[in-house]
Amino acid sequence: MTPDILCLGEPMLEFNQQPDGNYLPGHGGDTSNCAIAAARQGASVGYVTRIGADTFGNSFMDLWQAEGVDTSTVRQVTDAHTGVYFVTHGANGHEFSYFRAGSASSRMAVEDLPETALRSAKILHVSGISQAISYTAADAVFAAIKIVKEAGGLVSYDTNLRLKLWPIERARAVTHAAMAQCDIALPGLDDATQLTGLTDPDAIADFYLDLGAKIVALTLGAEGTLVVTPERRERVKGRRVEAVDATAAGDTFDGAFLSRIVAGDDPFRAARYANAAAALSTQGFGAVAPMPRKDAVEAFLSEED
């Protein structure tokens, strides 16, 4: 049976700098993180990608299977490697260094898409990174969006702007075109400011509504999330914690938010839950390890109630 949520994009092995200067290996990649975060909330999730038939690729297969993420639409190839990135931490926050040129995921193309699975999914989640890694991957995302929309499914899009991957002009053109076809817009404030040229959160939310999104959840960091639909808007407050590493806070928000949408929550209630999950994910190092499970998020929320 096809999972309710399909995430499409690029997984990357992570090496995260620790306080002693050594690097802790782990797993990353924004849409992979989203898939795992959603699965930890009890959602039915699958992943669509290409990875290398190598040690790093095998470790992802083991991870997804251990986390309950369906891998039937993952393709391992022998002619390309799995991507890698490093995270360093300093006075200005965390910094990413990527080694992804020619990776298996960057070679993803329209012909790699699992059309049957896409037609059966309730939500497809993609991101700016999914499209920035190559021209063929960008085309594949547009094709996947079309398949899902024609079948009656929803599309979720996180801008996740990475200017090391593409110039701002192309990022604007591609992400705006994709957002015009999406149902759930999940931009971050910093990304959206660069992409739209706007600074006011309400104006940014209106921009994405005008493009065509039915739900906009604009994340504002510690200030929470501005959630806007054509009928209603609300700032859903964030949760304060002692954060040590925000590497995958946005991805955790995405996965938790989508898991609650699939479960039947309205977007405002889903954002309250996702804010709590994202806050908890910042209390440990790395992308995947600190992501909370459903019982931890519910316990955290109950402290507020």
Side-chain angles (χ1 to χ4, degrees), residues 4-5 43-44 122-123 154 256-265 270:
D4 291 336
I5 301 169
S44 168
K122 292 181 179 178
I123 297 178
L154 303 176
F257 185 85
L258 297 178
S259 76
R260 297 315 309 164
I261 293 294
V262 164
D265 284 358

Side-chain angles (χ1 to χ4, degrees), residues 51-82:
I51 53 175
D54 49 33
T55 299
F56 292 165
N58 292 339
S59 72
F60 268 107
M61 294 296 285
D62 292 341
L63 171 71
W64 292 323
Q65 289 163 10
E67 294 289 347
V69 175
D70 185 275
T71 58
S72 61
T73 52
V74 174
R75 181 182 171 196
Q76 282 193 277
V77 298
T78 57
D79 61 348
H81 64 278
T82 304

Side-chain angles (χ1 to χ4, degrees), residues 65-247:
Q65 289 163 10
E67 294 289 347
V69 175
D70 185 275
T71 58
S72 61
T73 52
V74 174
R75 181 182 171 196
Q76 282 193 277
V77 298
T78 57
D79 61 348
H81 64 278
T82 304
V84 176
Y85 72 98
F86 291 80
V87 185
T88 54
H89 305 273
N92 297 320
H94 52 278
E95 181 177 338
F96 297 87
S97 299
Y98 300 97
F99 298 88
R100 58 169 29 120
S103 70
S105 298
S106 73
R107 298 186 185 187
M108 187 159 42
V110 173
E111 54 266 28
D112 295 309
L113 294 175
E115 186 169 340
T116 300
L118 288 167
R119 290 191 179 280
S120 300
K122 292 181 179 178
I123 297 178
L124 168 68
H125 176 72
V126 290
S127 77
I129 294 176
S130 303
Q131 296 194 286
I133 53 178
S134 70
Y135 287 99
T136 61
D139 290 345
V141 170
F142 280 123
I145 290 172
K146 182 179 180 181
I147 292 168
V148 171
K149 297 285 287 183
E150 288 180 347
L154 303 176
V155 175
S156 163
Y157 195 100
D158 186 331
T159 49
N160 238 348
L161 180 64
R162 297 290 185 270
L163 291 178
K164 290 183 178 180
L165 289 175
W166 53 1
I168 188 64
E169 293 80 8
R170 175 167 167 76
R172 286 185 181 126
V174 173
T175 58
H176 290 353
M179 280 288 199
Q181 301 174 56
C182 82
D183 302 278
I184 303 170
L186 299 173
L189 180 59
D190 290 344
D191 290 355
T193 295
Q194 294 182 77
L195 289 166
T196 67
L198 303 169
T199 57
D200 177 64
D202 284 289
I204 290 170
D206 288 339
F207 177 91
Y208 287 115
L209 277 184
D210 291 342
L211 280 181
K214 300 177 180 66
I215 298 168
V216 179
L218 175 66
T219 51
L220 308 173
E223 299 307 311
T225 305
L226 174 62
V227 182
V228 178
T229 69
E231 300 80 23
R232 175 183 169 192
R233 68 182 58 215
E234 179 182 331
R235 287 207 183 202
V236 181
K237 68 179 181 179
R239 297 296 300 270
R240 301 285 180 174
V241 296
E242 291 294 326
V244 297
D245 180 13
T247 297

